[in-house]
Amino acid sequence: MSDVADVIVVGAGLAGLVAATELSDAGRSVIVVEQEPEQNLGGQAFWSLGGLFLVDSPEQRRMGIKDSFGLAWQDWLGTAGFDRDDDFWPRAWAEAYVAFAAGEKRSWLRQMGHRLFPVVGWAERGGGPATGHGNSVPRFHITWGTGPGVVEPFERRAREAEQAGKIRFLWRHRVDHLITAGQAVVGVAGAILEPSSAVRGAETSRTPVADFEIRAPVVIVASGGVGGNQDLVRQMWPERLGKPPTFMVSGVPKHVDGRMIGITEAAGGRVINRDRMWHYTEGLRNWNPVWQDHGIRILPGPSSMWFDATGRRLPAPFFPGYDTLGTLRHILGTGYDYSWFILNQSIIRKEFALSGSEQNPDLTGRDWKLTARRAVGRRATGPVEAFKEHGEDFVVASTLAELIAGMNRLTGNNLLKLEDLEREILARDRQIDNPFCKDAQIMGIHNARRSLGDKLVRTAKPHRILDPAHGPLIAVKLNILTRKTLGGLETDLSARVLGQDGQVISGLYAAGEAAGFGGGGLHGYRSLEGTFLGGCLFSGRTAGQAAAAAVA
């Protein structure tokens, strides 16, 4: 098969959809090639909670949150920790992205029909100095409709362009190499894979049935990261985070394997910041999996007590929702690759949310009546209660002795001692008697409840964990969950891929996770959350607009 177009987009995830729709709006002909079947349109974004990082939004202002570009940029710099010569373009992209989040991002999405849940969440709270890691204020805006609600406007635009003959989707087309002519990229070639009816996210066949070749003046690589390839994740694992986990669960499907990044590198593209990655410490083995090693992340409020595998309480600031990579490094430093939450029914009811559109049917289905149930009763959401009942990482008991015994049975060892955990939990519970205390986590809970959003839906009223009125007691075994690639193909502010000599490779652009969400790693070492979907939106938009101008 041979074909031509103005622009080829490799990947039908969010970044690819955004780039393709921007190109079609500019009057360019686009071919989108995607190795997975059509039911995977939207890629990883479809599975997400739909969280978006916004600065000084109307939602923030209505909740009394004072935010600004200056404060957000201070938080970003303290979090990213840019410290390399290679951070020139990532830092430039980061500043441009924070300006986008403080500027037209919300209105641009809104005019396409995108809407937000009115309560703003507080992710990555930091817990160190004002110049250090973390969000100084709540900035996590959940899309009304979650991940599908983010994909929806771009899917609609793409389908309309497809009907008009401006965009063609070529499903089950696996790119095996980029075609070059001299120093320029002029197309893609690869194999057409056999059709697949596998459900979204499930592993598909790699059996080829034909070859293809497509030529175009511009190719945009928007193929995603490496989070579904655990072997590659371990290979890239940095020493600063400790020894790679022996056991991990995967937060993304297996086809998110980083293959196209290597293909682009082979064509001359430069990959930077390979060692920067974003993985979670609160992973659950999915009791109803879609893909291999399917993991679900707990998005915790601040009240659960966190213990390592041996029963030692994690020190400040490694509390739930404060510092993802700092906590990851600490846990792996214990010599084990798992840890524990200990909590009770009152905490799980108000503070546990699960990542993923399918784990939040109320928000995903835009059902206000069902969403309102989060604020009433003693039960958590249906999906959380289902994990509590069916999930192999949960232990539920009426007494602490029974709980510890169940935790030891789950791991097949006797690392946890009742007297040690009881001493820690009782000491913590004594700190509840006053609205002030010396326990840093309890201080954090009081601080969180000064935020209206946390007080309403995310942080339980301070109480004694061992109080039977708030029972039963619950323990959750937490696994390391793979998720995002923070490094990637180095690009300038027009999303043009740079070569090993630092010069632009003619005809080659990159967007989304393959480009480290912009520049080869706009997050630096760590994320403020809500910034992955936003990075796909921003880099996809930039790549599409720049490519459209290049082929004018």
Side-chain angles (χ1 to χ4, degrees):
M1 171 184 172
S2 181
D3 216 332
V4 294
D6 288 332
V7 179
I8 299 164
V9 177
V10 182
L14 181 60
L17 279 179
V18 175
T21 52
E22 290 294 315
L23 283 157
S24 66
D25 283 355
R28 309 295 179 261
S29 62
V30 185
I31 294 177
V32 180
V33 293
E34 168 62 55
Q35 73 171 0
E36 296 306 305
E38 186 171 1
Q39 51 268 35
N40 281 278
L41 180 67
Q44 297 174 64
F46 180 91
W47 296 102
S48 74
L49 187 60
L52 294 173
F53 176 90
L54 294 172
V55 178
D56 192 27
S57 69
E59 289 75 21
Q60 286 176 302
R61 293 194 293 270
R62 280 195 290 269
M63 298 186 71
I65 299 166
K66 297 180 180 179
D67 201 5
S68 66
F69 170 81
L71 182 61
W73 182 232
Q74 173 182 297
D75 288 346
W76 194 287
L77 288 176
T79 296
F82 296 124
D83 60 0
R84 299 173 176 174
D85 292 341
D86 283 347
D87 284 330
F88 176 81
W89 287 115
R91 180 181 171 125
W93 269 88
E95 188 168 10
Y97 174 68
V98 175
F100 178 62
E104 62 178 319
K105 179 180 177 181
R106 182 182 181 277
S107 60
W108 174 62
L109 290 169
R110 189 172 179 82
Q111 60 89 21
M112 286 184 271
H114 178 272
R115 295 294 183 269
L116 295 166
F117 185 63
V119 179
V120 184
W122 197 354
E124 289 297 298
R125 302 168 193 234
T131 55
H133 168 66
N135 287 293
S136 297
V137 298
R139 296 191 178 106
F140 192 81
H141 297 67
I142 296 176
T143 297
W144 186 232
T146 66
V150 176
V151 174
E152 187 178 88
F154 302 98
E155 179 179 358
R156 182 181 64 249
R157 289 171 60 193
R159 292 302 192 188
E160 291 170 353
E162 184 181 29
Q163 289 293 317
K166 297 178 180 179
I167 295 179
R168 289 181 60 200
F169 286 96
L170 298 181
W171 305 103
R172 301 295 281 157
H173 282 59
R174 183 189 68 199
V175 174
D176 292 328
H177 67 271
L178 299 177
I179 303 170
T180 58
Q183 301 301 311
V185 170
V186 296
V188 301
I192 302 173
L193 307 178
E194 66 180 357
S196 173
S197 59
V199 298
R200 179 190 287 271
E203 187 173 357
T204 57
S205 163
R206 291 293 177 264
T207 302
V209 295
D211 297 325
F212 76 93
E213 181 178 300
I214 309 172
R215 302 269 175 165
V218 169
V219 174
I220 299 175
V221 176
S223 54
V226 307
N229 185 338
Q230 291 199 9
D231 290 338
L232 189 54
V233 168
R234 290 187 178 94
Q235 179 182 322
M236 296 167 57
W237 197 273
E239 289 186 8
R240 66 178 179 276
L241 292 181
K243 184 180 178 181
T246 301
F247 176 80
M248 296 187 286
V249 290
S250 295
V252 294
K254 190 174 181 179
H255 64 256
V256 185
D257 57 8
R259 183 173 175 275
M260 194 65 210
I261 297 175
I263 289 170
T264 308
E265 186 176 24
R270 184 168 184 250
V271 179
I272 60 175
N273 299 317
R274 297 177 194 270
D275 62 319
R276 292 178 180 171
M277 52 185 66
W278 189 254
H279 305 305
Y280 292 109
T281 52
E282 312 98 332
L284 303 174
R285 289 170 285 184
N286 194 344
W287 64 273
N288 188 24
V290 176
W291 55 78
Q292 182 178 338
D293 301 319
H294 190 174
I296 297 294
R297 185 204 173 198
I298 299 169
L299 283 74
S303 301
S304 298
M305 294 191 73
W306 206 335
F307 295 90
D308 69 20
T310 66
R312 291 172 295 188
R313 188 180 179 190
L314 269 59
F318 304 137
F319 307 132
Y322 276 61
D323 183 348
T324 293
L325 288 197
T327 307
L328 175 61
R329 182 176 60 249
H330 179 86
I331 290 170
L332 293 178
T334 68
Y336 297 89
D337 54 14
Y338 68 92
S339 60
W340 293 97
F341 276 168
I342 292 182
L343 59 151
N344 57 32
Q345 183 64 29
S346 291
I347 293 173
I348 200 172
R349 187 202 73 78
K350 192 159 188 177
E351 297 195 5
F352 268 37
L354 299 174
S355 64
S357 53
E358 82 284 9
Q359 301 296 331
N360 295 274
D362 50 354
L363 297 170
T364 302
R366 299 181 174 97
D367 187 329
W368 282 112
K369 185 176 180 181
L370 188 58
T371 302
R373 294 181 187 174
R374 292 179 180 242
V376 297
R378 280 188 50 78
R379 290 177 59 83
T381 64
V384 171
E385 290 289 345
F387 262 91
K388 193 178 78 174
E389 179 180 355
H390 303 294
E392 56 188 307
D393 294 310
F394 281 74
V395 180
V396 182
S398 57
T399 69
L400 187 59
E402 293 170 337
L403 189 76
I404 304 307
M407 294 163 73
N408 281 329
R409 282 196 301 272
L410 181 59
T411 56
N413 56 44
N414 288 299
L415 290 174
L416 303 175
K417 307 301 180 187
L418 172 61
E419 56 271 23
D420 295 338
L421 276 83
E422 185 175 44
R423 181 174 60 252
E424 285 286 352
I425 297 171
L426 286 173
R428 177 262 184 210
D429 279 1
R430 293 187 188 103
Q431 299 285 300
I432 297 298
D433 290 340
N434 297 288
F436 47 85
C437 65
K438 72 174 184 178
D439 186 282
Q441 185 174 4
I442 305 301
M443 286 190 270
I445 294 170
H446 290 309
N447 185 48
R449 286 179 59 83
R450 293 189 182 98
S451 167
L452 180 59
D454 265 52
K455 187 172 184 178
L456 288 174
V457 298
R458 287 295 284 154
T459 304
K461 185 177 180 180
H463 63 274
R464 294 174 180 259
I465 286 180
L466 296 181
D467 184 345
H470 294 275
L473 294 171
I474 302 164
V476 187
K477 180 176 177 286
L478 305 173
N479 309 285
I480 307 304
L481 176 96
T482 68
R483 186 59 66 88
K484 295 299 179 187
T485 310
L486 298 189
L489 295 163
E490 186 178 27
T491 60
D492 67 9
L493 281 178
S494 294
R496 299 179 298 179
V497 176
L498 306 181
Q500 298 298 327
D501 59 359
Q503 300 301 304
V504 168
I505 297 177
S506 180
L508 184 58
Y509 294 69
E513 194 171 351
F517 303 94
L522 62 75
H523 293 93
Y525 288 95
R526 293 178 292 188
S527 168
L528 286 171
E529 290 286 27
T531 55
F532 301 126
L533 292 176
C536 289
L537 293 170
F538 184 57
S539 61
R541 182 175 186 245
T542 299
Q545 292 176 350
V551 296

